[in-house]
Amino acid sequence: MVTDTFDDGTDLFSPMVPSESDSMIGKRKEMSVVSGIENEGSRRKKKKKQGGTPRPACSWVHFSREFIKEYSASHPESSGLKVATRAASEAWKVMTLEEKSKYTKRAREVWDDYLSSAPAREPKPRKQANLVTRCSPGRLVNVLKHFTTEQKEAVRSMGFGSLLDLKCRTLRRSLCLWLLERFNTIRRSLEICGERIPLYPHDVELVMGLPATGKDVVNSGPDDLVAELRQKYNASNRGISVRFLEERLGQPEAGDDFKRAFLLYVLGTLLCPTARLDVSPSFLHLLTDMDIIHEYNWAKFLLDRLVREVSRYRQGKQRAVGGCLLFLQIFYYESVAIGGTCEPGPVVVPCLTCWTEEAISEREKQEKELGGYGSGEVICKERGLGLGLSNDRDHTDVLPLREVAARVNRGTLVRQDENLENVPFAYKNENTPPVRIDYTYKNPLEYQHTNSQVMYPGQSACPLLNCSFTGLFQELSDHFSSKHWDSGRRFQYNNPFPVSLGMDETFLVLQAEEDGVLFLLNKGTENIGHTLMVTCIGPSTNDERFLYCLVSERGNNSLRLKSYTPTLPGRVEGIPPSDFLLVPFGYLNSSGELNLEVCIWHPSDIGEV
């Protein structure tokens, strides 16, 4: 047998013997691998340690854990956790509310224990020099310029024709940041140039050209009503793609599909964008009936969402600033005059049509020459801005008390020949420090449950008329969410929101988005005004106390109440023995509506107030 060899006599196919250098390299690799594993483990432990106590699981997680355990035991041939989880998801979808209540109650108990033991949360510090926003007027302008005549007519039919004349393509981010620092979300005002300028839906109408009258926009409801629309617009958990909507708008048709795509696009890119680039799928609930789109109060909706998004940004809940920042920018240009005699010139309505890129660049140049923003003179009232809601545009002043009383024409109002000038209404001037105004009845009124059905201990009744439902707290919450989702007002804890009560409205149902708790904003009528308070619907044994604040304003005067909600099992007649706010009739607008700002804090967050 012949063996091939090298010149030094070693076999060609003999195993290689590692040299000393090779051994050192191998040891280094081995040490680096071990060190990497140790470092990875320490990083995981450190990350877990920094994370603190994990948040409790929801009702679905409690159910799935129990279901998967039973499913795995009864299906040994199953291929793994993925199949069991899919089976749990299908079972959860067909379960009734009564079947889910067991897991919902369990999740709530765990959540209550977590809240009682968790330390008070500290607000996150926010230091941001650059503005991050999804408000993109330039993107909308690029889409609008390709619309056909039929498509433009379809836009006008929905009440958004003013946007067709939009000429501003970019936001002045330095100005927007400056305005955000001076935007009072509680009072809904801009505090600039030494004055406080309140913001109203009427201002949105003058600036943006959107209607400030009509019914409130409700963008929530049962998921099954929009299941087909979600599929049509490829709605995922993240939202609806802006690029997908742009492709839809590029097609020549101008029917309902075009209107839906346009409404989603303009809401997600200009009027009320969120912190995410995609359009929120909650807007799909507005698209079920395209014939009534023009009947909504879009100006109020824009302002509400702007206040909400700025509040969330300040609380550190999102990095980007949502809402229509273009409205704030143009409102500032129209409200503050710089240079010259500061005399107001003619106003073009809506204002956005005259603010071109050239006009804005010239304005910014003048602002810089004068030393920066806020160097001008406030002229908003001369231009019709900052004057509040009024159906009569020729008479925007607040009506005298006796005139409002005559218009409302209720039997409980004072006689018109009484001297109302001497009635102490506890007005608070803006120059005085904020104070708490508490009112209490010396002789509490008798009150009783309006629902005649029998309720057992721990049960609560549906507050709506002609509804006889009674049940436990979670049952009532689920009932109202599914059966009366369009009959109340949904809100978020710790975020102020506006409310309007008509002449004939004696209460309004409020439901928290986080946990479904129901509240009632109760309105009574006395000789000189309306009494207002908030109650919580729940069992009398519930010891949770929600802090709430009511604010009513008239010009530079305001009334404020900060108190705790009593817990009652349903709607009541009369006023329970508790604090209430007395709002004189002079605070009503010309149509007899009472505008308020409401804020409710969750018990776990009261320590931060």
Side-chain angles (χ1 to χ4, degrees):
M1 178 176 180
V2 179
T3 304
D4 294 332
T5 61
F6 291 108
D7 294 338
D8 59 358
T10 58
D11 293 338
L12 180 62
F13 297 104
S14 61
M16 296 294 293
V17 179
S19 63
E20 183 178 354
S21 60
D22 294 335
S23 300
M24 291 298 295
I25 294 175
K27 289 181 180 180
R28 288 172 185 170
K29 291 183 177 179
E30 182 178 356
M31 292 177 63
S32 63
V33 171
V34 174
S35 176
I37 295 175
E38 292 177 353
N39 292 336
E40 181 67 21
S42 63
R43 283 196 296 267
R44 290 180 180 177
K45 291 181 180 179
K46 185 178 180 180
K47 184 177 181 181
K48 184 177 181 180
K49 184 178 180 180
Q50 291 177 349
T53 305
R55 294 171 65 89
C58 62
S59 56
W60 148 251
V61 175
H62 286 281
F63 165 76
S64 61
R65 288 173 180 171
E66 182 178 303
F67 182 91
I68 291 174
K69 184 177 180 181
E70 296 177 357
Y71 185 89
S72 300
S74 59
H75 296 76
E77 75 285 355
S78 176
S79 59
L81 181 62
K82 186 175 181 180
V83 176
T85 304
R86 186 182 298 110
S89 176
E90 297 297 331
W92 178 263
K93 291 179 182 178
V94 298
M95 289 175 62
T96 63
L97 294 177
E98 290 75 16
E99 293 172 335
K100 293 180 180 179
S101 61
K102 180 178 78 169
Y103 305 99
T104 304
K105 181 179 180 182
R106 186 187 305 173
R108 186 64 206 179
E109 292 174 351
V110 176
W111 180 256
D112 291 339
D113 294 339
Y114 168 78
L115 292 178
S116 61
S117 59
R121 294 179 297 176
E122 297 182 359
K124 298 179 182 179
R126 176 163 294 280
K127 294 181 180 180
Q128 183 171 324
N130 298 322
L131 176 66
V132 179
T133 178
R134 305 303 183 190
C135 185
S136 306
R139 194 163 193 164
L140 178 61
V141 171
N142 291 335
V143 172
L144 292 175
K145 65 183 182 180
H146 297 293
F147 279 3
T148 63
T149 303
E150 292 76 12
Q151 290 175 332
K152 291 180 180 180
E153 187 60 34
V155 171
R156 294 188 183 95
S157 67
M158 292 189 293
F160 295 91
S162 60
L163 300 182
L164 297 174
D165 297 322
L166 178 64
K167 299 179 177 64
C168 175
R169 301 181 62 89
T170 57
L171 292 175
R172 295 309 189 259
R173 296 176 182 260
S174 57
L175 172 59
C176 291
L177 275 175
W178 187 83
L179 291 173
L180 288 174
E181 293 174 356
R182 292 154 181 81
F183 187 19
N184 190 326
T185 57
I186 300 295
R187 306 182 69 89
R188 290 180 172 233
S189 62
L190 285 174
E191 299 173 356
I192 54 178
C193 303
E195 295 191 30
R196 184 179 70 86
I197 308 176
L199 299 174
Y200 300 100
H202 171 64
D203 301 322
V204 179
E205 183 177 24
L206 292 178
V207 172
M208 306 297 294
L210 302 179
T213 58
K215 52 188 177 182
D216 288 346
V217 177
V218 179
N219 60 321
S220 61
D223 292 338
D224 56 347
L225 292 181
V226 295
E228 184 177 349
L229 290 176
R230 288 181 65 93
Q231 183 178 3
K232 177 180 291 187
Y233 292 96
N234 295 338
S236 62
N237 292 333
R238 291 186 55 85
I240 303 173
S241 171
V242 171
R243 291 185 176 85
F244 173 80
L245 294 174
E246 288 176 348
E247 294 176 359
R248 280 291 187 98
L249 294 175
Q251 300 176 6
E253 68 94 16
D256 284 349
D257 287 340
F258 165 79
K259 293 180 180 180
R260 292 189 179 98
F262 173 80
L263 186 58
L264 288 171
Y265 189 78
V266 76
L267 289 173
T269 59
L270 180 68
L271 300 185
C272 48
T274 61
R276 307 174 76 168
L277 182 59
D278 297 324
V279 183
S280 173
S282 64
F283 294 138
L284 290 174
H285 290 280
L286 302 170
L287 311 181
T288 54
D289 189 355
M290 298 304 296
D291 294 333
I292 62 173
I293 294 298
H294 65 282
E295 300 178 5
Y296 288 119
N297 190 334
W298 290 107
K300 180 175 179 293
F301 181 65
L302 182 150
L303 186 58
D304 291 348
R305 293 300 290 256
L306 176 62
V307 172
R308 170 189 167 184
E309 292 295 326
V310 174
S311 299
R312 290 177 60 84
Y313 165 76
R314 287 181 175 174
Q315 294 170 5
K317 295 182 178 180
Q318 57 194 34
R319 179 170 174 264
V321 185
C324 186
L325 298 183
L326 179 65
F327 162 70
L328 285 183
Q329 175 176 310
I330 299 180
F331 182 85
Y332 171 79
Y333 292 153
E334 291 288 340
S335 302
V336 178
I338 58 174
T341 59
C342 294
E343 294 182 358
V347 180
V348 178
V349 178
C351 302
L352 65 84
T353 60
C354 62
W355 285 101
T356 62
E357 286 295 305
E358 293 76 14
I360 293 176
S361 297
E362 180 63 26
R363 172 61 182 256
E364 291 290 319
K365 179 181 178 181
Q366 296 177 3
E367 294 273 1
K368 187 176 181 180
E369 292 175 351
L370 291 175
Y373 302 118
S375 302
E377 178 182 342
V378 175
I379 59 169
C380 61
K381 296 188 184 304
E382 289 82 356
R383 303 181 71 84
L385 299 170
L387 293 177
L389 286 170
S390 176
N391 291 332
D392 186 1
R393 298 297 169 78
D394 297 328
H395 183 66
T396 54
D397 295 332
V398 178
L399 295 175
L401 178 61
R402 59 170 57 89
E403 188 171 347
V404 174
R407 291 193 180 191
V408 177
N409 192 22
R410 287 193 177 186
T412 55
L413 300 185
V414 295
R415 298 190 306 274
Q416 297 190 33
D417 57 353
E418 291 182 353
N419 184 9
L420 302 179
E421 304 299 333
N422 299 323
V423 178
F425 291 147
Y427 293 145
K428 183 173 75 66
N429 190 279
E430 282 302 308
N431 297 324
T432 60
V435 296
R436 172 176 172 173
I437 306 175
D438 287 334
Y439 300 90
T440 54
Y441 280 111
K442 295 181 180 179
N443 298 314
L445 301 177
E446 296 293 332
Y447 62 97
Q448 60 183 357
H449 306 301
T450 57
N451 292 337
S452 59
Q453 65 268 28
V454 178
M455 290 190 298
Y456 297 97
Q459 288 187 326
S460 302
C462 181
L464 297 184
L465 299 173
N466 303 323
C467 183
S468 59
F469 178 86
T470 60
L472 299 177
F473 158 73
Q474 189 59 45
E475 295 174 348
L476 178 60
S477 175
D478 294 338
H479 161 78
F480 194 88
S481 299
S482 58
K483 301 297 183 181
H484 309 299
W485 58 269
D486 57 344
S487 300
R489 173 70 182 274
R490 296 179 67 85
F491 71 95
Q492 292 183 334
Y493 288 123
N494 315 337
N495 287 331
F497 57 96
V499 167
S500 296
L501 292 174
M503 289 191 301
D504 299 326
E505 291 183 286
T506 58
F507 70 95
L508 176 66
V509 183
L510 310 174
Q511 186 172 31
E513 294 183 356
E514 290 86 343
D515 52 14
V517 176
L518 295 177
F519 298 86
L520 283 178
L521 175 60
N522 303 277
K523 185 185 78 172
T525 305
E526 295 300 313
N527 287 336
I528 62 172
H530 292 298
T531 55
L532 295 151
M533 68 174 301
V534 177
T535 59
C536 177
I537 299 180
S540 57
T541 56
N542 185 12
D543 56 355
E544 278 191 322
R545 303 190 68 193
F546 295 85
L547 181 66
Y548 73 93
C549 181
L550 300 177
V551 179
S552 178
E553 295 187 347
R554 186 186 73 167
N556 292 330
N557 300 318
S558 66
L559 299 174
R560 182 186 300 267
L561 169 67
K562 201 171 185 180
S563 183
Y564 288 91
T565 60
T567 302
L568 301 169
R571 190 169 57 86
V572 298
E573 289 181 349
I575 301 296
S578 183
D579 298 342
F580 66 91
L581 178 66
L582 178 62
V583 180
F585 292 122
Y587 277 65
L588 305 179
N589 62 20
S590 59
S591 59
E593 289 182 337
L594 178 59
N595 297 318
L596 296 169
E597 182 176 82
V598 183
C599 187
I600 302 177
W601 287 271
H602 194 274
S604 61
D605 298 318
I606 290 179
E608 303 176 8
V609 181

